[in-house]
């Protein structure tokens, strides 16, 4: 059995009260798949950057999962061929 390793890198930037995250999946078999997420701090809340990082990263990973599912679905449609009756 062959072991495979997929790598996800998460890039986080902050712009004022907004935190942006980009999650990039790299595999040997597919081109990179990217998910994006944001978090916005309410101006009345305390400034705790880790919370914005966590929220934005989780949203980027959720978006990545949806995009990866779409890639798999497209592959199934292309490779399955027509249904014989």
């Amino acid at each position: 059995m062959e072991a495979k390793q997929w790598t996800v890198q998460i890039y986080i930037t902050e712009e004022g009260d907004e935190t942006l995250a980009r999650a990039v999946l790299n595999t040997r078999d597919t081109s990179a798949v990217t998910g994006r997420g944001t978090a916005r701090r309410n101006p009345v809340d305390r400034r705790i950057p880790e919370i914005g990082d966590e929220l934005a990263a989780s949203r980027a990973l959720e978006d990545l999962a949806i995009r990866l599912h779409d890639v798999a679905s497209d592959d199934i449609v292309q490779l399955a061929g027509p249904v014989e009756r």
Side-chain angles (χ1 to χ4, degrees), residues 10 25 29 31-32 36 50 53 55 72 76 80:
I10 301 175
L25 170 67
D29 303 325
S31 57
R36 301 183 188 285
E50 295 82 15
D53 293 351
L55 286 172
I76 290 168

Side-chain angles (χ1 to χ4, degrees), residues 14-17 41 45-50:
E14 294 180 17
E15 297 176 8
D17 289 335
R41 182 179 68 86
D45 291 341
R46 293 186 323 174
R47 188 173 207 39
I48 304 173
E50 295 82 15

Side-chain angles (χ1 to χ4, degrees), residues 6-85:
W6 290 9
T7 303
V8 176
Q9 294 177 306
I10 301 175
Y11 303 91
I12 299 172
T13 57
E14 294 180 17
E15 297 176 8
D17 289 335
E18 186 171 67
T19 302
L20 308 168
R22 184 169 48 99
V24 181
L25 170 67
N26 290 294
T27 72
R28 281 188 306 184
D29 303 325
T30 63
S31 57
V33 181
T34 302
R36 301 183 188 285
T38 61
R40 289 175 195 80
R41 182 179 68 86
N42 186 321
V44 299
D45 291 341
R46 293 186 323 174
R47 188 173 207 39
I48 304 173
E50 295 82 15
I51 294 173
D53 293 351
E54 292 164 350
L55 286 172
S58 70
R59 291 171 179 162
L61 289 168
E62 181 178 26
D63 185 47
L64 175 63
I66 291 167
R67 292 175 186 275
L68 183 59
H69 188 270
D70 290 345
V71 168
S73 295
D74 291 346
D75 288 346
I76 290 168
V77 168
Q78 288 180 359
L79 299 174
V83 177
E84 293 184 27
R85 294 185 187 236

